[in-house]
Amino acid sequence: MIEPEAGPDFVQLLDAGGNRVERTDFSCTAPDVELATDLRDMVLTRRIDSEATALQRKGELGLWPPSLGQEAAQIGSARVLRDPDVIVPSYREHGVAWCAGIDPLDLLTTFRGTGMTDWPSRPDTFHPYSFVIGAQTLHAVGMAMALQRDGLVGNDDAATNGAVVVYFGDGATSQGDVNEAFLFAASYAAPVVFFCQNNQYAISEPIELQSRIPLYRRAAGYGFPGVRVDGNDVLAVRAVTEWALDRARRGDGPVLIEAYTYRMGAHTTSDDPTKYRQNEELDAWRAKDPIARLRAYLERAGAIDQAWTDALDAEAEALAVRLREGCVRLPEPELSDFFTQAYADTPELLLAQRDAHQAYEAAFEEPR
Amino acid sequence: MYEFKLPDPGEGLTEAEIVSWKVAVGDTVAVNDVLLEIETSKSLVELPSPYAGVVAELLVAEGDLVPIGTPIIRIAEFDEPIAGDDSDSVQAVSGPVEDAPVNDGDRYFGSPEDGASASPVNDGDRYFGSPQDAGDGDAPHAPAPAPAQPSAMLVGYGAKPGAVARRARRGGGVVAVPETDQVQEAYDTDKPVSRHTDDVTPSEKLEDEASGEHLPPPGRPPTAGPGNGRPKAKPAVRRVARDLGVDLGMIAGTGPDGLITAEDVVAAASGGTQAPAGDQRLPLRGIRREMFRSMTASLAVPQATAMIEADVSGTVQLLDTLKKRREFDGLRVSPLLVFARAACLAISRIPEINAGYDADADEIVLHGAVNLGIAAATPRGLLVPNIKNAERMNLTQLAEALNAMVAVAREGRVQPYDLANGTFTITNIGVFGVDGGTPILSPGESAIMCLGTIRRKPWVVGSGEDERIEPRSVCTVSLTFDHRIVDGEMASRFLAEVAAIMSNPGLALMF
């Protein structure tokens, strides 16, 4: 049995103590000031997450899937994306959504049941959250093949090239969809980066029960590279994702990135992880916290100081207040909007149904 | 005055148990301070406070089982007198939403404070700027102004009260008849073929919810800790006890966690009514509560018990043979195994033994499969995991299934699936050395078979001239049955079939 977090196959550039690790194959060239922005993104993502979890516990949200502990994997991968890349998230990518410029209040509408996933602040390049496990990997491969056909891959002018990054979890790798997506992506050399956040549990099922081999090694069977990266190390995630994206944009085909991380919270707010895992395990991962190690590094490097940290804390708190107060004021949806949100060009039939519905609604007296 | 109603912390739950309050009346709480811990059939969770203020009243007690939506705590605003009961002022918190920070993507790229040591790199052409980067910094998506009627309903509370009532149709006016009404007329039914969207039916309570003991209970010390035998009391109370000459060991404390209070000591000294010392109160939780409930439910069924004393020497010999065979290597082979097989065979002749009553249809259901439950004393308490389709298994398969089940039960890893849908149960109290008993039914099942211990006893064998007494292995088997489904004849025949196979396992060839 190979230690999962050791050896040359485990890409780590910042260890749990916040010390940089030199490697010949991957390196992070981002300056410290840019890493400081990553820290800010990670701290704010964590605050969004904890506030949303609290809102669920107060009955204001129906459900929330916490991202606690997975911030480095999400921020590190999202921050190396650029136009015309496309992002296809699962349902836990709150940090990716943040980097894509999505208002966290928009995220809440989905979990409060007041909105479709068509969030007002969503850019075209960010696909709605997918709740069907693994299904989005197939969509992503299709989008990547579309980029090929649009002539946005393998051009001499690298700036015009794009790729698709699709997020999924370790549990999804047990789905047929994901394996089909791997196969198609390999066959068509589709410009797609399969970004698997291995957070160790498919709800309660530990990864050891799902895979006889480390997940990144599955890629070899399909004929494309697989890399295991320390998912709690934002530097390593940046470096590996950047490499994979460049490769995909060039036209060299897909890459599987296994970001080895840990879901420190519950699967969702309906789940009680104390039923299937030990506190010692959680403590061991807490010692590898992605935020703590980056903060330690930046402090030692002199890139941030106490004033900076205090300001960030204040900003996070203000963000939490904004979510808390905004959540309860999210407007109730209009049923008639439902008819026009599925198609870019709404078919006649749906429009007729909407009109019939509105006429039907109008046939009633105002509620007393 | 704010009132916090119990939310649904899972999905579709109907009730939760109040485990412990983390605040008391008079405490000051901030938003998101933990108020209490509750346990649902899914999980143990802490509930944070939606309000800041002073705790005015706790409306439910620890240990209460409370329906979702029940008001559980009142929190007064800081300048509000606690005595007042102004519960209709609950309203959403409002505030200047527009001024608060928004996610504007890279616009904040860099430090939150300009000029801090990590000065922002504003490369404006970077990807993922805010969709409204070009704007003046206003919120890209400020939430719409608060709706005129602030939502009084929380998402996690199920049906909106009052929303079920239909609005009256307006008089006059030509309105196209909706398709659903046409369908309804076509089928000539009074029942709606579709429902108005806010015509919500509250979901029913789910049976067979996953339940079970937690792994290490987070942050909850066991109530009866590693007892040093010393009664729990504060030093001042010990002093009072010494002065009054009262033995603390003779007092049952009435304080939290059985803590002895000064009042308890004074009451004891004055010869007041003393609770018997050493009483221990066990909360009905988890499996213990499940046992309590299911056994109480069982008493609703008219049940009777029949018994037989069987010579199982033939089985004991068979077991010796089986243990030497390679197929059973590494498997524990016990009389229970042969009993289980014998029961399955006998059930094939008397299917009412493996049956249930479907109250909705008012019918008896004779089950096709025997999901054979084995009552097991596990570290978590009494559990009855069952072997699915036991009747299809030969002796080897049954032995493997039994061994696997025992291992799982012993480790306390029995899954809800293993506990659900049992059709017949065997309880083996013989392992505790007793001769027999009259078990009571597992709810939903028509019979339960109870095995006593196997003893060497004098047994009359042969007949006429040949009649003599021999030492034999003897076991008392009893069967408790639902007398609405199984009559005395069926029960007796079942026991006789089982006893015959146990006495002479070769008879199994006849099935």
Side-chain angles (χ1 to χ4, degrees):
Chain A
M1 177 79 190
I2 308 163
E3 277 291 310
E5 296 170 77
D9 282 358
F10 182 70
V11 181
Q12 186 186 61
L13 299 176
L14 190 68
D15 69 16
N19 307 300
R20 289 191 84 140
V21 179
E22 291 304 323
R23 291 179 68 101
T24 51
D25 49 357
F26 292 102
S27 62
C28 178
T29 53
D32 286 350
V33 284
E34 197 168 336
L35 296 177
T37 69
D38 285 358
L39 177 60
R40 170 179 173 271
D41 290 334
M42 288 160 66
V43 168
L44 294 181
T45 298
R46 185 166 287 189
R47 193 66 189 88
I48 293 167
D49 186 62
S50 66
E51 194 57 35
T53 303
L55 282 167
Q56 198 281 337
R57 292 289 183 242
K58 297 169 192 168
E60 298 293 352
L61 298 178
L63 184 77
W64 181 257
S67 56
L68 182 65
Q70 300 179 217
E71 293 87 354
Q74 298 190 3
I75 304 299
S77 56
R79 278 297 177 206
V80 293
L81 294 166
R82 58 158 173 78
D83 226 6
D85 294 337
V86 177
I87 309 169
V88 185
S90 169
Y91 50 80
R92 203 187 296 282
E93 275 65 67
H94 316 315
V96 181
W98 169 262
C99 293
I102 288 171
D103 186 336
L105 263 179
D106 281 354
L107 293 183
L108 297 191
T109 63
T110 294
F111 296 98
R112 190 172 165 83
T114 62
M116 306 293 286
T117 48
D118 189 22
W119 308 311
S121 60
R122 183 172 68 84
D124 291 341
T125 46
F126 190 88
H127 192 264
Y129 271 7
S130 286
F131 290 86
V132 178
I133 303 301
Q136 74 277 17
T137 54
L138 283 170
H139 308 157
V141 173
M143 292 175 209
M145 289 165 65
L147 285 180
Q148 287 175 319
R149 279 147 189 77
D150 285 345
L152 295 172
V153 182
N155 298 311
D156 290 339
D157 179 6
T160 62
N161 294 332
V164 178
V165 59
V166 57
Y167 292 87
F168 54 100
D170 45 297
T173 63
S174 298
Q175 293 279 7
D177 296 24
V178 173
N179 292 277
E180 290 169 27
F182 286 174
L183 197 58
F184 261 76
S187 295
Y188 285 87
V192 55
V193 174
F194 293 105
F195 196 92
C196 174
Q197 290 170 84
N198 177 358
N199 68 15
Q200 313 300 327
Y201 288 93
I203 306 189
S204 59
E205 183 102 332
I207 183 64
E208 296 79 29
L209 290 182
Q210 295 188 66
S211 190
R212 296 279 181 192
I213 60 168
L215 289 176
Y216 73 98
R217 281 170 50 190
R218 289 201 185 165
Y222 294 91
F224 54 85
V227 179
R228 175 176 272 182
V229 60
D230 183 346
N232 286 8
D233 169 3
V234 77
L235 279 67
V237 173
R238 268 178 174 268
V240 171
T241 314
E242 200 151 33
W243 164 79
L245 282 168
D246 283 346
R247 197 177 171 284
R249 291 174 188 141
R250 271 203 310 273
D252 289 347
V255 171
L256 170 63
I257 298 175
E258 179 193 359
Y260 201 79
T261 180
Y262 192 74
R263 189 193 76 212
M264 292 207 277
H267 167 69
T268 68
T269 44
S270 295
D271 170 46
D272 182 355
T274 62
K275 283 187 176 175
Y276 52 82
R277 66 187 193 192
Q278 303 286 347
N279 285 340
E280 293 76 27
E281 183 183 291
L282 182 59
D283 291 342
W285 277 95
R286 214 172 257 142
K288 295 184 254 186
D289 188 287
I291 291 181
R293 73 171 76 171
L294 182 58
R295 194 191 297 269
Y297 164 72
L298 290 172
E299 278 172 359
R300 271 204 297 276
I304 59 172
D305 55 18
Q306 192 57 43
W308 188 91
T309 304
D310 292 346
L312 177 57
D313 289 347
E315 187 190 12
E317 203 45 43
L319 177 60
V321 171
R322 175 169 173 271
L323 287 183
R324 193 149 71 223
E325 296 177 350
C327 178
V328 295
R329 294 158 53 135
L330 287 171
E332 293 275 323
E334 288 290 328
L335 183 61
S336 50
D337 292 344
F338 181 77
F339 292 93
T340 51
Q341 290 195 351
Y343 293 91
D345 300 314
T346 305
E348 287 295 318
L349 183 65
L350 278 181
L351 289 174
Q353 286 185 2
R354 182 197 59 192
D355 293 346
H357 164 74
Q358 284 172 336
Y360 181 65
E361 274 289 309
F364 292 93
E365 290 174 3
E366 288 304 311
R368 279 186 295 274
Chain B
M1 182 79 69
Y2 304 114
E3 197 173 71
F4 184 31
K5 299 193 179 91
L6 182 69
D8 175 1
E11 295 164 90
L13 301 177
T14 56
E15 61 183 16
E17 182 171 315
I18 309 301
V19 174
S20 61
W21 281 105
K22 307 293 184 196
V23 294
V25 172
D27 285 359
T28 299
V29 293
V31 170
N32 286 353
D33 280 358
V34 173
L35 294 177
L36 74 163
E37 192 175 44
I38 64 168
E39 183 169 21
T40 70
S41 53
K42 281 184 174 173
S43 53
L44 190 70
V45 297
E46 291 177 332
L47 296 186
S49 176
Y51 314 110
V54 178
V55 177
E57 193 178 0
L58 305 182
L59 301 170
V60 290
E62 291 178 3
D64 285 0
L65 202 58
V66 178
I68 302 301
T70 307
I72 52 176
I73 185 173
R74 290 217 175 100
I75 297 174
E77 289 172 65
F78 286 115
D79 51 357
E80 187 179 8
I82 289 182
D85 184 2
D86 184 17
S87 57
D88 57 352
S89 66
V90 182
Q91 226 31 279
V93 199
S94 62
V97 172
E98 291 77 12
D99 296 343
V102 297
N103 177 14
D104 53 358
D106 280 348
R107 202 161 55 75
Y108 273 115
F109 210 86
S111 95
E113 260 190 353
D114 285 359
S117 49
S119 62
V121 185
N122 197 354
D123 44 350
D125 56 352
R126 269 189 80 90
Y127 188 53
F128 297 147
S130 140
Q132 301 190 1
D133 255 356
D136 58 4
D138 275 349
H141 171 54
Q149 185 191 354
S151 168
M153 198 256 318
L154 298 186
V155 175
Y157 287 166
K160 194 184 289 193
V164 179
R166 277 177 181 275
R167 284 176 282 146
R169 247 347 200 318
R170 282 185 208 275
V174 182
V175 173
V177 179
E179 287 162 44
T180 52
D181 285 6
Q182 294 165 9
V183 176
Q184 197 167 319
E185 283 157 18
Y187 284 94
D188 192 24
T189 165
D190 290 339
K191 297 206 170 116
V193 290
S194 79
R195 294 185 304 186
H196 201 250
T197 46
D198 51 15
D199 187 11
V200 179
T201 313
S203 55
E204 298 286 317
K205 177 170 165 49
L206 295 173
E207 293 300 326
D208 294 330
E209 275 281 357
S211 67
E213 203 174 60
H214 298 270
L215 287 176
R220 208 159 34 121
T223 44
N228 51 10
R230 197 167 169 223
K232 282 196 275 186
K234 291 177 180 167
V237 176
R238 293 186 186 282
R239 174 66 197 261
V240 173
R242 204 165 60 235
D243 291 349
L244 294 175
V246 175
D247 178 4
L248 283 175
M250 299 303 291
I251 301 178
T254 59
D257 287 341
L259 195 71
I260 298 169
T261 64
E263 288 77 17
D264 295 337
V265 175
V266 173
S270 61
T273 51
Q274 274 190 36
D279 279 8
Q280 198 189 354
R281 301 183 76 86
L282 303 177
L284 283 179
R285 299 234 167 92
I287 292 192
R288 191 177 281 138
R289 185 165 78 188
E290 201 40 53
M291 181 171 84
F292 195 91
R293 276 188 182 166
S294 66
M295 290 297 100
T296 306
S298 174
L299 281 190
V301 176
Q303 44 194 304
T305 305
M307 296 185 192
I308 192 166
E309 200 172 24
D311 168 16
V312 297
S313 307
T315 292
V316 173
Q317 278 173 14
L318 172 69
L319 292 174
D320 284 343
T321 312
L322 294 180
K323 280 174 189 162
K324 292 180 190 129
R325 293 193 60 87
R326 218 177 30 197
E327 294 91 325
F328 292 91
D329 267 2
L331 291 177
R332 195 178 131 71
V333 183
S334 71
L336 175 64
L337 169 64
V338 187
F339 268 113
R341 179 76 186 132
C344 288
L345 291 172
I347 281 170
S348 70
R349 292 204 174 157
I350 306 118
E352 286 84 355
I353 298 296
N354 187 52
Y357 172 61
D358 179 352
D360 292 336
D362 197 27
E363 286 172 344
I364 289 170
V365 184
L366 304 182
H367 296 298
V370 179
N371 293 341
L372 179 71
I374 306 288
T378 75
R380 296 164 60 192
L382 173 67
L383 284 180
V384 189
N386 63 70
I387 298 171
K388 303 281 189 281
N389 297 307
E391 86 286 359
R392 291 191 212 155
M393 297 179 179
N394 64 30
L395 213 53
T396 328
Q397 294 163 330
L398 199 53
E400 284 166 358
L402 266 174
N403 275 263
M405 194 166 87
V406 167
V408 167
R410 196 167 282 159
E411 292 163 25
R413 288 191 294 110
V414 177
Q415 299 300 308
Y417 171 81
D418 301 320
L419 298 171
N421 299 323
T423 62
F424 174 76
T425 298
I426 297 179
T427 174
N428 183 11
I429 58 176
V431 294
F432 305 114
V434 299
D435 288 329
T438 57
I440 58 177
L441 295 170
S442 290
E445 299 181 10
S446 64
I448 176 169
M449 184 166 81
C450 172
L451 313 179
T453 198
I454 297 177
R455 291 190 198 285
R456 297 292 282 171
K457 278 190 179 178
W459 195 256
V460 179
V461 296
S463 58
E465 291 280 306
D466 198 29
E467 193 174 76
R468 64 200 186 279
I469 292 175
E470 283 186 5
R472 289 288 174 102
S473 297
V474 175
C475 175
T476 298
V477 185
S478 54
L479 184 83
T480 294
F481 51 95
D482 180 344
H483 214 316
R484 303 171 305 179
I485 299 174
V486 179
D487 60 25
E489 187 262 351
M490 294 172 191
S492 306
R493 213 147 45 84
F494 174 83
L495 280 177
E497 298 275 18
V498 170
I501 296 170
M502 295 307 289
S503 173
N504 183 356
L507 292 180
L509 294 173
M510 295 169 63
F511 282 80

